Amino acid sequence: MASESSRSDDREARLARLRQIPRTPVLIVGGGINGISTFRELALQGIPVVMVEKGDWCQAASGALSRMIHGGLRYLETGEFSLVKESVRERDRLLKNAPHYVAPLRTTVPIDSWGGGLLNAGKRFLRLTEKPSRRGALVIKTGLTLYDAWSRRFGNMPKHQLHNQPQTRQRWPGFADWVKCSAAYYDAWIAAPERLGFELIEDAERAEPAALALNYLSVEQCDGEKITLRDTLRGETFSLKAHVVVNATGAWIDRLNGTLSESLPERKLIGGTKGSHLILHCPALLQMLDGEMVYYENQEGRVCIMFPWYGNVLVGSTDIRVDNPDDVVCEKDEQSYILDSLRFVFPHLTIKEEDVLYTFSGVRPLPASHAASNGSISRNHSLVLLPPLAGRDFTTLCLVGGKWTTFRQFGEEAADRVLKLLGEQRKVSTADLAIGGGRDFPSATRKPGWLKALSSEYGVSQTRVSQLVSRYGTRAQAVMNFMRLQPDHPLHAQPDWSQNELRFLIRHEQVQTLEDLLVRRTPLAISGQLTLPLMAEVNALLAEDRGWSPEKSAQHLTDTLSRLAALHGLGRLYPVEMNKESCHVSQSESEA
Ligand SMILES: Cc1cc2nc3c(=O)[nH]c(=O)nc-3n(C[C@H](O)[C@H](O)[C@H](O)COP(=O)(O)OP(=O)(O)OC[C@H]3O[C@@H](n4cnc5c(N)ncnc54)[C@H](O)[C@@H]3O)c2cc1C
């Protein structure tokens, strides 16, 4: 078993490199998708950029999205045509550049009338009202026609269809009586946003080896040129000077600006709203959805979504203003609100509290706004440049707003501003650049042959190869190369995963905590598969790799259980008696 110092290799090496960098041209603060995207853009232009994140990559809003890669149909109503057009274009790019995680999603909109909502939609468009109301078929058809036009320009999604009442009833017998017709169209969903975020970092560091990304490192203080960073795991501090700081801290933007300069004039950039989702175990609903998303208005006219999620159903979300973005959680009343919204569309479903397997919450980093309705705050993004001033000797570029779908475009715009500040030129475009395991991903026709070839090359069953490819895309080959270096075993508590597969993630993907592994590098938590034995088994692999003592390992497991209970509603895992012995890989397995 490796000693702690010899095994914390990757992080120690990264921290050692950071100690050797007294000054960087660009420091990006915030490792959500927008900071990561800017990091990739700059690294690809050969800039030795540094990025720090106070927790894990994509731990905040970028891990709490509805997991839709979409144009944003409803933004047409508020006249945000350029945002929708850009989103459709970026959606279609992601379908090509990240085909291992992003896939088309057939979507149905239940509608209560043909002509309803015309007046209100017109008023919203002219900004005479912010009140959401039900949209009739004509309003929705107008939006979908524009969607189709843009989709045809950038990709090849099928055109939308309107279905009358008998057609709708035939496909959706469980819909509420108020549903008079429906529209069907295609958007897209993302299976592993946190993994795609990590793969972008990996691509960037490979393209520019002097670029450095460090998680669990927080910006704490600034004194003139000197920025103080703190290792949030061990407490060590570092200082760094930067020519430009990119503030990509999402809902924390104003806080970081306050940290960077106390003398900064009061200018609020962010007015975040919290959104929560549930993962439901509901086979009857899953069967009705049959692979489709339902994009529906709830009793208040707010748009909500539900779609199949790893054998369960993802449903959300809420939209509540919050001032403190730290550790937001899905409250009980939000859970009831989401379930009531669901019953509004499917009134005959019985859903019990214990059917909620997992919850997650995040804060949308929306621009500060006085809008009366949260839904009418713009989802567009913008850049705000703060020049150097007394006590803060560098320029700060703030990334305000932005959807997950449009991260590439936003990162490109941010990087171009930074390049201009540095007097550098853009050399590479990311528009058509495949990401991580999306590189060399075979077409649907080539895929079966490719899987078969991999299966014989690695001596692994085709089922297992397909599973690994669905998890890692073409990076599955790197995973399999690692897995065959030593004998492997399926996990006792979840045989769909193997020890060496998890060891690969632990060693190669900047995993610092059990939570990183369960929540962001794998879908084990969000797919509702967590049990105490499984957590203990995975924790044991992490402890073995890091050389943790039995006490440290047991404490880490306890801390993770508490966090998952608090942040994701997993308190029901507690009643199981915790066995310290289970925190270790058994001797025979670790030696095998
Ligand atoms: C409920 C919800 C549903 C959504 N659904 C969708 C959707 O379906 N499709 C879509 O396209 N978009 C969606 N979005 C929007 C999208 O997820 C966000 O706009 C996007 O993820 C924002 O990314 P970000 O990088 O700007 O912010 P974040 O992901 O919040 O990242 C900011 C990071 O900064 C870090 N940080 C803060 N302070 C410091 C510091 N001092 N030092 C170091 N690091 C710091 C934080 O820890 C955080 O990780 C949704 C958002 C929410 C909340």
Side-chain angles (χ1 to χ4, degrees):
M1 193 176 275
S3 75
E4 185 158 355
S5 55
S6 69
R7 265 304 178 208
S8 45
D9 47 8
D10 185 43
R11 182 161 180 84
E12 276 312 320
R14 283 169 184 277
L15 290 173
R17 278 179 61 200
L18 182 68
R19 288 188 198 98
Q20 303 299 313
I21 306 177
R23 179 183 286 279
T24 176
V26 192
L27 170 67
I28 297 174
V29 189
I33 195 60
N34 289 322
I36 291 174
S37 173
T38 311
F39 178 75
R40 176 177 76 138
E41 293 283 340
L42 288 170
L44 284 166
Q45 316 313 320
I47 306 293
V49 51
V50 175
M51 173 168 67
V52 296
E53 159 57 51
K54 70 176 179 171
D56 190 24
W57 309 120
C58 293
Q59 67 160 11
S62 302
L65 66 157
S66 301
R67 291 165 190 256
M68 289 159 65
I69 296 297
H70 65 146
L73 188 57
R74 75 182 179 83
Y75 312 134
L76 290 172
E77 213 178 49
T78 42
E80 297 190 272
F81 292 103
S82 60
L83 170 66
V84 180
K85 190 170 161 187
E86 178 182 277
S87 304
V88 169
R89 188 178 57 206
E90 289 302 320
R91 177 198 71 189
D92 290 345
R93 281 185 170 139
L94 275 170
L95 284 163
K96 289 186 190 125
N97 295 337
H100 56 320
Y101 295 143
V102 181
L105 181 61
R106 188 178 148 93
T107 301
T108 286
V109 188
I111 306 173
D112 72 345
S113 68
W114 285 92
L118 273 175
L119 187 62
N120 198 61
K123 280 188 181 169
R124 276 168 71 83
F125 182 71
L126 295 170
R127 307 223 182 269
L128 298 176
T129 181
E130 290 180 0
K131 222 175 76 207
S133 77
R134 321 214 67 74
R135 292 116 179 133
L138 290 178
V139 173
I140 290 168
K141 185 165 180 58
T142 309
L144 288 175
T145 305
L146 281 170
Y147 230 63
D148 282 348
W150 290 323
S151 292
R152 266 202 308 282
R153 234 168 105 187
F154 308 125
N156 51 8
M157 292 282 212
K159 281 169 84 169
H160 80 272
Q161 291 170 330
L162 271 189
H163 295 135
N164 60 22
Q165 194 160 24
Q167 291 164 326
T168 303
R169 289 272 147 225
Q170 193 183 12
R171 164 64 186 91
W172 299 98
F175 271 167
D177 289 344
W178 59 260
V179 179
K180 298 288 180 284
C181 53
S182 63
Y185 71 105
Y186 278 83
D187 244 324
W189 70 293
I190 178 161
E194 304 88 350
R195 288 204 53 79
L196 195 68
F198 179 79
E199 291 182 9
L200 287 164
I201 296 174
E202 210 179 37
D203 287 354
E205 289 190 335
R206 192 172 299 126
E208 174 47 66
L212 178 63
L214 267 153
N215 56 1
Y216 292 96
L217 210 67
S218 166
V219 167
E220 298 277 301
Q221 219 184 323
C222 168
D223 179 8
E225 273 195 297
K226 198 176 95 181
I227 299 163
T228 304
L229 309 171
R230 189 174 60 85
D231 182 339
T232 56
L233 296 172
R234 304 215 190 127
E236 186 186 354
T237 56
F238 303 81
S239 65
L240 186 67
K241 292 175 182 165
H243 188 64
V244 180
V245 169
V246 174
N247 182 348
T249 57
W252 290 264
I253 282 183
D254 295 315
R255 289 185 180 206
L256 181 68
N257 284 340
T259 303
L260 294 178
S261 174
E262 283 171 9
S263 61
L264 201 71
E266 187 64 18
R267 182 174 171 200
K268 194 166 155 50
L269 297 178
I270 288 286
T273 69
K274 173 170 87 154
S276 296
H277 292 86
L278 314 178
I279 302 295
L280 289 181
H281 175 69
C282 186
L285 179 57
L286 188 67
Q287 199 183 0
M288 280 195 276
L289 292 174
D290 192 22
E292 283 190 40
M293 173 161 86
V294 178
Y295 183 88
Y296 62 102
E297 291 164 357
N298 71 359
Q299 55 281 29
E300 296 179 274
R302 272 200 53 243
V303 173
C304 297
I305 54 110
M306 63 178 105
F307 62 96
W309 188 257
Y310 290 96
N312 297 304
V313 178
L314 185 156
V315 52
S317 66
T318 50
D319 198 3
I320 302 164
R321 287 205 196 209
V322 286
D323 290 325
N324 179 5
D326 283 311
D327 293 345
V328 289
V329 298
C330 176
E331 305 288 351
K332 279 279 168 226
D333 56 346
E334 284 181 89
Q335 194 165 308
S336 309
Y337 175 90
I338 294 171
L339 292 179
D340 285 348
S341 300
L342 194 159
R343 288 188 199 102
F344 182 68
V345 189
F346 291 110
H348 306 298
L349 280 178
T350 311
I351 297 166
K352 300 183 288 303
E353 206 168 304
E354 57 267 31
D355 296 330
V356 178
L357 299 179
Y358 187 79
T359 66
F360 60 97
S361 254
V363 178
R364 303 174 181 89
L366 305 179
S369 156
H370 296 294
S373 144
N374 295 342
S376 63
I377 304 174
S378 170
R379 262 54 176 174
N380 215 336
H381 57 250
S382 62
L383 294 167
V384 175
L385 199 69
L386 303 175
L389 44 72
R392 199 202 60 202
D393 300 348
F394 45 82
T395 302
T396 308
L397 181 67
C398 304
L399 273 58
V400 181
K403 295 168 61 185
W404 218 102
T405 306
T406 52
F407 75 80
R408 196 208 61 83
Q409 174 75 32
F410 197 14
E412 183 180 270
E413 289 169 21
D416 284 344
R417 285 293 277 279
V418 173
L419 289 172
K420 206 165 161 195
L421 290 166
L422 300 177
E424 298 278 352
Q425 297 286 326
R426 173 171 284 278
K427 299 171 191 132
V428 179
S429 164
T430 51
D432 299 314
L433 200 63
I435 302 168
R439 230 177 337 266
D440 303 324
F441 199 78
S443 62
T445 42
R446 269 191 53 226
K447 201 170 167 189
W450 179 71
L451 293 174
K452 206 167 160 196
L454 282 183
S455 163
S456 62
E457 184 185 341
Y458 287 90
V460 176
S461 75
Q462 271 201 57
T463 312
R464 177 72 170 137
V465 171
S466 303
Q467 191 178 57
L468 291 169
V469 166
S470 73
R471 286 178 193 158
Y472 311 109
T474 51
R475 277 180 88 245
Q477 281 171 273
V479 180
M480 287 191 286
N481 280 330
F482 176 88
M483 282 166 49
R484 63 181 175 183
L485 293 179
Q486 59 173 315
D488 198 5
H489 299 275
L491 298 187
H492 292 298
Q494 179 44 281
D496 276 355
W497 293 77
S498 83
Q499 292 183 347
N500 286 352
E501 182 183 352
L502 287 161
R503 285 187 180 114
F504 175 88
L505 304 180
I506 290 168
R507 297 215 185 137
H508 296 283
E509 297 203 341
Q510 290 199 41
V511 168
Q512 314 300 342
T513 69
L514 178 61
E515 182 186 323
D516 299 345
L517 203 50
L518 300 175
V519 176
R520 288 171 289 271
R521 301 301 182 281
T522 68
L524 284 167
I526 196 171
S527 55
Q529 294 177 58
L530 287 189
T531 57
L532 190 60
L534 175 60
M535 290 177 69
E537 205 175 348
V538 178
N539 190 53
L541 292 170
L542 183 60
E544 175 201 48
D545 189 75
R546 299 294 141 90
W548 289 345
S549 66
E551 293 71 30
K552 179 163 178 176
S553 172
Q555 187 59 50
H556 190 73
L557 181 57
T558 308
D559 293 347
T560 308
L561 281 165
S562 304
R563 270 185 64 83
L564 294 185
L567 298 180
H568 299 293
L570 289 179
R572 68 197 158 72
L573 292 176
Y574 276 126
V576 187
E577 182 67 24
M578 233 168 58
N579 175 1
K580 285 198 177 175
E581 288 304 308
S582 65
C583 297
H584 296 277
V585 181
S586 73
Q587 201 62 16
S588 58
E589 281 166 3
S590 58
E591 279 169 359

